[in-house]
Each structure stands twice: as structure tokens, then as C-alpha cells.
């Protein structure tokens, strides 16, 4: 029997007001050198993702803890991969348009 585990993908659009907020820590000297997308990515790596999007991280004791494994820069969004363990995402189950659109073209 194949083991099952939880994976979650989040796409954060980078050309809107939400992503333009200042997410970097206030006392970071090189804050001005980071783009708004880089600040958003840094905030995610620093654990602020649950604060930014609390509706995606409802407190549920039965649910397994998800860890941030990867953040990928795309043209107009950041793709965030969360999971119980690191695993490749199946393209046909992904919300990343770069992964599932090519599969739609072949069908």
C-alpha cells in the first residue's frame, strides 16, 4: 500500500498591493536592497506565512504539521510548497499553471 501524506501549494501573486507591503524585519540594514518579492519570500522563510494567511492555517490538532520546503520565483507569483515531508508535486495535481497547462495541451 502506498503511503499518503499531505502537501499544500500556495501561489502568492507578486504584482499587487498585498505583496508590495514591507515584510522584512525593521532592523535589517539591507532591507532597501531587497525587492518587494524578495521581502515577501524572506517573510515566508521567517515563519510569517501563517500570520499573513491565517485562513490557510486553521488550528486543527488532527492535521499533521506542514513544513515549508520550497519557494519558487515565477514571472508574476511565488509558488510555495508545504508538506509533511519533501516530495515532488505531480503536475496534474498542481495549481502551478506552468506545470498543469502543458499537460492540458497534450490531452
Amino acid at each position: 500500500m502506498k503511503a499518503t501524506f499531505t502537501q499544500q501549494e500556495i501561489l502568492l501573486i507578486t504584482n499587487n498591493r498585498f505583496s508590495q507591503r514591507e515584510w522584512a524585519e525593521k532592523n535589517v540594514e539591507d532591507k532597501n536592497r531587497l525587492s518587494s518579492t524578495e521581502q515577501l519570500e524572506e517573510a515566508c522563510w521567517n515563519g510569517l506565512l501563517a500570520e499573513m494567511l491565517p485562513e490557510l492555517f486553521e488550528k486543527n490538532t488532527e492535521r499533521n504539521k506542514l513544513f515549508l520546503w520550497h519557494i519558487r520565483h515565477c514571472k508574476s507569483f511565488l509558488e510555495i510548497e508545504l508538506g509533511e515531508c519533501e516530495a515532488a508535486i505531480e503536475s496534474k495535481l498542481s495549481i502551478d499553471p506552468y506545470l498543469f497547462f502543458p499537460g492540458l495541451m497534450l490531452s
Side-chain angles (χ1 to χ4, degrees):
M1 188 164 108
K2 189 175 180 181
T4 60
F5 52 89
T6 303
Q7 287 182 290
Q8 182 176 13
E9 282 182 286
I10 300 170
L11 300 184
L12 291 179
I13 307 303
T14 55
N15 56 357
N16 59 26
R17 285 189 178 180
F18 177 80
S19 65
Q20 302 299 320
R21 296 163 117 180
E22 290 190 24
W23 296 109
E25 296 177 23
K26 301 280 188 236
N27 60 358
V28 177
E29 292 176 8
D30 62 346
K31 178 178 88 170
N32 293 332
R33 287 187 250 160
L34 296 176
S35 70
S36 58
T37 301
E38 291 169 331
Q39 287 182 30
L40 183 59
E41 178 183 8
E42 184 177 320
C44 292
W45 282 118
N46 289 336
L48 293 177
L49 191 57
E51 275 183 46
M52 291 188 284
L53 302 167
E55 60 276 4
L56 297 180
F57 297 91
E58 293 177 2
K59 303 296 182 204
N60 185 349
T61 56
E62 295 176 15
R63 186 172 174 177
N64 296 335
K65 185 169 175 118
L66 300 180
F67 300 95
L68 175 60
W69 289 103
H70 186 70
I71 298 178
R72 186 167 63 108
H73 286 258
C74 297
K75 184 176 180 179
S76 60
F77 61 88
L78 292 176
E79 178 198 15
I80 299 170
E81 296 178 18
L82 304 164
E84 295 176 64
C85 60
E86 187 175 20
I89 294 176
E90 293 184 46
S91 60
K92 64 183 178 182
L93 300 176
S94 177
I95 62 171
D96 181 352
Y98 295 116
L99 291 178
F100 75 78
F101 273 144
L104 289 176
M105 301 301 179
L106 298 175
S107 300

